[in-house]
Amino acid sequence: MQQHAALADIGVIGLGVMGKNLALNIVDNGYRVAAFDLDQAKVEAAVSQAATEVPGRAQVLVGCNNITELLASLSKPRLLLLSVPAGSPVDGVCDALLQAGIEADDIVIDTGNSLWTDTVARERHYQGKLVFFSSAVSGGEVGARFGPSLMPSGSEAAWQRLAPIWRAIAAKVDPQTGLPLVRLEPGNPVREGEPCAAYIGPAGAGHYVKMVHNGIEYADMQLICEAYQLLSQVLGLSATEVADIFQRWNQGKLNSYLMEISAEVLRQQDPLSGKPLVEMILDKAGQKGTGLWTAVSSLQVGCPAPTIAEAVYARALSNQKPLRQTLATRLKGAELMGQVEAEAFIADLEQALYCAKICCYTQGFQLMAMHAKEQGWTLDFRAIASIWRAGCIIRATFLQSIMSAFEAEPQLSNLLLDERFASALNQSQQAWRRLVSGAVLAGVPAPCITSALAYYDGYRCETLPANLLQGQRDYFGAHSFERTDTPAGEKYHLNWSSPKRELVKL
Ligand code: 6PG
């Protein structure tokens, strides 16, 4: 291990993919980092990468043998970035820091995908012992290295201390165009543009917002996968042909990081078989839980987010491969479809995807708004859209329009109320319907594209059949109902079991 020349500005604990790359990014931006991992090989790898990537900066990333040494190498009050798996490892490291003598004004930043309620509990639990702060990070390995999207929350004083480093390492956006400014060069970070780092709110708010980001991510990924299945199975296109279409779409309103990488994945050949790699990847989707948490939260809050929930179910269904293999031989599919006009189908699919994408982001933003209200948080939705324009996994040109919508109406409760989005949906809804009908007639499942259309149609209905539902509830459970012709909140019950069926005002 090297001797410490000067005290470091920030300590990094956990040098897995994210921790190491965040450390290197911080170093690129002129800060000194002290780093520790239980696995000393990872410490050595990070130190040597920092030194070799940019010659002459051997002292900027210092490896430490243990937590005591790490604490001793940091200037006070200390800043410590945790990059460890969510859950008990976070508490394990905090407890180890307490034992090693961390002080009450030292700041510990959890950058993992922690459950937001755990973050709230931790902030309380460690009060007076250390300042527990959190900053969700999006962008994967490359994002961490060259510019992630950062969602910090907790003590405002801690944020003041951390902000210069966070703004420096964050992804940057051209303020004129809203497009990411990207340079993937070690030692030469992007310094111009607007940083994708904004203080989100009190403890837990950042992790909640990142959780919703991931819920949207699940839905957006599933939408693209549904397009792939439709193009393959309805039109019989090859993986490369689908990649060509995705690449073309990526030049238009569907431009996004996820569309771009999907085209790349589809184009990749398998080094072993020579076939498209995607055809050799087993069709069972994994998950770490953030999308599921988003769906659960939407149910708890009472915010309709069917497209996000369907994306979680789609992963669950994909995992039941043996059952699917059995049922594939037993359950009938659609009768042979008539001739499908390929160009028209592709054009409808592009419109349908855009509409469904609008609905899935709408669900995510509405969920954040409803949850924030419950928690008493004041979220800046314009800022959230703005820091998702670069660095994060759901970055997309279309976030610039979401930002503009919140610029015009900061507390807009639902994006469908925005004139731009309403008119985009109005223009494309007929194509969306044709596409959904086509998918249903072909027997190809498209749960997210379809559920988004039901969501759209649900909001279009001034009257829903919930009147009958309330009647049913009142019939068997005397749950009462409100009337359309009396003041809101006034409850009535019909005496269903009595022969006269009297109406009672409660
Ligand atoms: C990001 C990603 C990242 C990770 C998620 C999703 O924003 O950088 O969301 O956090 O990819 O954990 O993982 P799963 O698909 O495994 O749930």
Side-chain angles (χ1 to χ4, degrees):
M1 295 295 118
Q2 293 158 6
Q3 288 305 305
H4 316 131
L7 290 176
D9 303 298
I10 186 165
V12 175
I13 300 179
L15 296 169
V17 171
M18 294 302 282
K20 181 182 81 171
N21 284 293
L22 284 170
L24 292 168
N25 185 354
I26 297 171
V27 159
D28 273 353
N29 281 285
Y31 295 95
R32 283 155 306 165
V33 174
F36 171 72
D37 192 291
L38 283 173
D39 180 352
Q40 277 299 302
K42 286 189 179 158
V43 179
E44 277 153 28
V47 170
S48 85
Q49 191 172 337
T52 50
E53 270 184 357
V54 181
R57 62 169 193 191
Q59 296 298 313
V60 286
L61 198 150
V62 177
C64 299
N65 289 303
N66 52 53
I67 286 200
T68 311
E69 196 180 305
L70 177 76
L71 290 183
S73 37
L74 296 170
S75 60
K76 291 187 188 177
R78 302 177 182 97
L79 274 179
L80 285 136
L81 182 163
L82 300 195
S83 184
V84 298
S88 56
V90 177
D91 298 305
V93 176
C94 288
D95 293 342
L97 284 166
L98 289 174
Q99 277 180 13
I102 192 167
E103 290 163 37
D105 56 350
D106 291 340
I107 301 162
V108 175
I109 312 139
D110 175 19
T111 64
N113 270 331
S114 293
L115 182 60
W116 73 275
T117 44
D118 287 351
T119 306
V120 174
R122 284 187 183 118
E123 197 209 37
R124 272 197 214 118
H125 178 76
Y126 293 110
Q127 229 160 46
K129 299 174 187 153
L130 54 83
V131 181
F132 190 85
F133 191 76
S134 74
S135 176
V137 176
S138 178
E141 181 175 0
V142 175
R145 180 68 186 86
F146 297 107
S149 172
L150 298 165
M151 290 150 261
S153 65
S155 146
E156 291 194 55
W159 169 237
Q160 291 315 320
R161 175 95 209 285
L162 181 64
I165 303 181
W166 247 221
R167 291 200 179 105
I169 68 164
K172 307 289 187 313
V173 168
D174 180 330
Q176 307 306 322
T177 62
L179 295 173
L181 296 167
V182 186
R183 190 160 53 236
L184 308 181
E185 281 173 33
N188 187 16
V190 177
R191 294 188 198 277
E192 63 279 17
E194 277 175 18
C196 291
Y199 177 75
I200 303 291
H207 272 135
Y208 189 86
V209 166
K210 173 66 195 325
M211 177 195 84
V212 175
H213 164 284
N214 281 26
I216 296 172
E217 173 184 305
Y218 275 44
D220 217 347
M221 291 168 83
Q222 175 63 23
L223 286 173
I224 296 172
C225 292
E226 289 172 15
Y228 160 57
Q229 188 174 7
L230 285 164
L231 292 169
S232 315
Q233 294 185 359
V234 177
L235 299 185
L237 301 187
S238 68
T240 315
E241 286 169 326
V242 178
D244 290 341
I245 292 172
F246 284 4
Q247 204 171 331
R248 199 176 75 223
W249 286 349
N250 199 40
Q251 307 307 311
K253 59 188 177 186
L254 285 174
N255 172 270
S256 71
Y257 169 73
L258 285 169
M259 188 59 82
E260 178 192 328
I261 64 160
S262 302
E264 223 179 290
V265 172
L266 286 164
R267 232 179 258 296
Q268 179 64 44
Q269 296 288 304
D270 173 27
L272 296 181
S273 65
K275 291 185 180 167
L277 178 67
V278 72
E279 287 167 19
M280 304 308 294
I281 298 177
L282 188 65
D283 55 338
K284 283 171 73 174
Q287 59 174 308
K288 297 204 193 76
T290 44
L292 180 151
W293 297 342
T294 312
V296 168
S297 176
S298 74
L299 291 167
Q300 286 168 336
V301 171
C303 173
T307 313
I308 293 173
E310 283 293 356
V312 183
Y313 288 133
R315 290 195 189 194
L317 205 144
S318 81
N319 273 288
Q320 302 192 348
K321 177 93 178 172
L323 181 56
R324 287 192 285 122
Q325 280 169 323
T326 306
L327 293 177
T329 62
R330 296 195 192 169
L331 299 179
K332 268 185 148 178
E335 305 290 329
L336 222 51
M337 279 179 84
Q339 191 65 27
V340 177
E341 213 281 287
E343 279 314 311
F345 185 83
I346 294 167
D348 283 351
L349 183 53
E350 184 178 12
Q351 302 301 318
L353 267 189
Y354 188 59
C355 292
K357 190 178 167 93
I358 293 175
C359 290
C360 97
Y361 281 68
T362 297
Q363 292 165 25
F365 274 91
Q366 188 181 21
L367 174 58
M368 287 189 284
M370 290 178 71
H371 180 81
K373 203 166 177 191
E374 256 187 35
Q375 296 299 315
W377 299 339
T378 307
L379 297 184
D380 180 344
F381 300 108
R382 181 201 168 275
I384 293 169
S386 129
I387 63 168
W388 286 353
R389 288 177 301 165
C392 73
I393 302 298
I394 63 168
R395 61 185 182 264
T397 311
F398 138 95
L399 274 155
Q400 183 79 0
S401 309
I402 298 185
M403 207 182 113
S404 308
F406 285 113
E407 223 153 53
E409 179 64 60
Q411 290 303 317
L412 188 67
S413 60
N414 184 299
L415 283 171
L416 305 188
L417 291 167
D418 177 76
E419 192 42 51
R420 263 160 299 221
F421 289 121
S423 85
L425 291 166
N426 285 339
Q427 261 173 37
S428 299
Q429 54 97 27
Q430 199 54 38
W432 193 7
R433 292 182 196 289
R434 274 195 304 268
L435 186 279
V436 166
S437 314
V440 172
L441 287 175
V444 178
C448 280
I449 300 178
T450 308
S451 74
L453 180 56
Y455 172 84
Y456 168 85
D457 280 332
Y459 271 119
R460 270 191 334 99
C461 285
E462 208 182 313
T463 306
L464 282 169
N467 46 358
L468 174 58
L469 199 133
Q470 283 298 91
Q472 294 164 335
R473 291 181 72 237
D474 193 57
Y475 188 101
F476 63 70
H479 293 299
S480 80
F481 52 85
E482 291 174 82
R483 295 178 55 90
T484 55
D485 55 357
T486 53
E490 222 170 82
K491 295 285 170 74
Y492 292 85
H493 166 60
L494 194 101
N495 216 340
W496 298 96
S497 49
S498 109
K500 286 199 179 144
R501 300 211 158 172
E502 306 88 355
L503 183 69
V504 186
K505 181 171 172 237
L506 303 175

